[in-house]
């Protein structure tokens, strides 16, 4: 029997991401829950405001990005919750892969999850709020990806921490939401600029914050992740 | 044995805390009775003597210490650093709560509103949220080593978050100017007021240090008790583990 070498960091990350997505694809529990939650929230938000006083175009960016963070939380907290059952996390840690690869793999699976929800939620908001989506679809997709990277890097780290505490999923929003402020605010503000027909350049100062946040927190969370695992 | 002796000493009177309380009383007396009333803002301006030093100490010293001690803990793994971080977070939250309570009391008569989404106010509120979350996290973990590592990670990330929140709320405010940004630039204080301010700053710093020390000692005592408890449990367990003859 030939000796198989352990996979490199990126290959291991891809394997872990594939494992998580396979679990999710076979159960579909969290994805459908997050999707349904998003659609219900989109509808409820519309009725929470007086449609004759606040225009749907003014309401949409805020609704979109608030729902984005909350549905993201739904996916994030099971990212490590699923490893707690039968202490699957122990097997993951005992396997010959870097801790960074575990973080990267988890984060990639979460990214796919969040972007999957976005791919349905953004058209749904456009439909219900009557937005000129075709005109802004490319820059809006870019904002969604930038926001998702930041959300997922912080969220994956905090999910690993929260799953090890007595409060478990209750703790995740308490820890993560303040960190989502520099994501939601720039994303909502630049979306608002785009939807009101302004050029992308006007949103650049917001997008710069988003890009800087992504760079700083992807690095910081990857470095901090090994500290959140049992030694 | 030395540690339990040191802990037994703790039952004695906390002179530093007593001195801090006396200094605070003296400061309040000076603020209320011996400092002139500001011409435009009236008596409400006196909140400034409590508000501004508390903000500086709570936000910069208190939370700076949490991040610094957290980073050092991840490097050195010294449990004393974790106790410093935990104590500083708790006292920092108290000081920041004072800031968030006294601010609106001043804002109502001067700005005409309790709250406004000014960059500084918003930033202070979010830092407060992060550190209340920090305390909740600490309360949710039993194992001391895990608790120390997790809270150190959160403390360091919190310090990284502050410039980002600052940038975004600042951009938000400048793009949507508020009608009530009457907050004057720092006026040059008359010497009477400056002396009161200096006195207040010193007393509040003293209070911070005294509370930090008291809280640190509490953490030390608690850890010693927990260690004793677990030692008792394991000795009882080893007794039971002995075969019956």
């Amino acid at each position: 029997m030939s000796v198989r070498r352990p996979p490199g960091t990126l290959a291991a990350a891809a394997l872990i991401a594939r494992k998580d997505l396979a679990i999710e694809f076979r159960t579909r529990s969290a994805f459908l829950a997050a999707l349904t939650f998003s659609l219900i929230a989109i509808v409820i938000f519309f009725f929470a405001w007086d449609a004759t006083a606040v225009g749907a175009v003014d309401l949409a960016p805020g609704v979109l990005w608030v729902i984005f963070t909350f549905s993201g939380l739904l996916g994030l907290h099971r990212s490590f919750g699923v490893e707690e059952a039968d202490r699957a996390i122990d097997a993951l840690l005992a396997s010959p892969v870097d801790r960074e690869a575990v973080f990267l793999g988890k984060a990639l699976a979460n990214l796919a999850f969040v972007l999957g929800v976005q791919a349905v939620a953004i058209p749904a908001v456009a439909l219900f709020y009557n937005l000129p989506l075709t005109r802004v679809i490319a820059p809006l997709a870019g904002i969604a990806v930038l926001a998702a990277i930041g959300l997922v890097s912080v969220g994956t780290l905090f999910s690993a921490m929260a799953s090890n505490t007595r409060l478990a999923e209750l703790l995740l929003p308490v820890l993560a939401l303040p960190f989502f402020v520099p994501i939601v605010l720039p994303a909502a503000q630049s979306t608002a600029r785009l939807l009101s027909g302004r050029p992308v350049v006007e949103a650049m100062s917001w997008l710069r914050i988003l890009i800087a946040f992504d760079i700083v927190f992807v690095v910081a969370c990857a470095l901090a992740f090994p500290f959140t695992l049992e030694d | 044995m030395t540690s339990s002796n040191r802990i037994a000493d703790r039952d004695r009177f906390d002179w530093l805390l007593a001195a801090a309380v006396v200094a605070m009383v003296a400061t309040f007396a000076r603020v209320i009775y011996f400092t002139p009333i500001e011409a435009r803002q009236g008596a409400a301006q006196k909140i400034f003597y409590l508000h501004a030093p508390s903000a500086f100490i709570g936000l910069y010293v208190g939370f700076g210490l949490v991040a610094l001690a957290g980073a050092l803990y991840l490097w050195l793994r010294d449990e004393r650093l974790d106790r410093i971080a935990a104590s500083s977070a708790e006292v920092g939250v108290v000081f920041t709560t004072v800031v968030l309570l006294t601010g609106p009391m001043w804002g109502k008569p001067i700005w005409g509103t309790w709250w406004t989404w000014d960059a500084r106010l918003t930033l202070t509120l979010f830092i407060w949220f992060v550190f209340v979350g920090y305390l909740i996290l600490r309360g949710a973990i039993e194992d001391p080593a895990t608790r120390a590592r997790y809270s150190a990670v959160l403390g360091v990330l919190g310090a990284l978050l502050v410039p980002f929140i600052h940038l975004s709320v600042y951009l938000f405010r400048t793009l949507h100017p508020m009608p009530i940004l009457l907050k004057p630039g720092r006026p040059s204080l008359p010497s009477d007021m400056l002396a009161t301010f200096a006195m207040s700053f010193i007393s509040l710093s003293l209070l911070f240090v005294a509370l930090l020390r008291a809280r640190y000692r509490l953490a030390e005592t608690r850890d010693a008790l927990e260690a004793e408890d677990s030692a008792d449990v394991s000795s009882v367990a080893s007794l039971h583990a002995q075969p019956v003859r």
Side-chain angles (χ1 to χ4, degrees), chain B residues 30-32 34-53 102-103 105-111 184 186-190 192-197 200:
Chain B
R30 183 178 161 97
V31 167
I32 294 167
F34 303 102
T35 304
I37 289 175
E38 211 268 342
R40 280 174 308 160
Q41 302 185 13
Q45 182 266 342
K46 291 189 173 188
I47 287 175
F48 164 76
Y49 300 115
L50 178 61
H51 181 82
T102 52
M105 283 184 212
W106 176 86
K108 185 65 185 167
I110 306 299
W111 284 343
R186 184 152 298 160
S188 48
L189 286 174
D192 266 6
M193 292 185 178
L194 196 63
T196 306
F197 182 75
S200 168

Side-chain angles (χ1 to χ4, degrees), chain A residues 157 164 166 189 227-229, chain B residues 77 139-140 142 149-150 172:
Chain A
L157 178 75
N164 259 332
R166 274 193 288 115
Q189 291 293 326
F227 292 116
T228 66
L229 300 172
Chain B
R77 300 296 169 111
E142 309 260 330
R149 270 185 291 125
Y150 282 19
F172 186 78

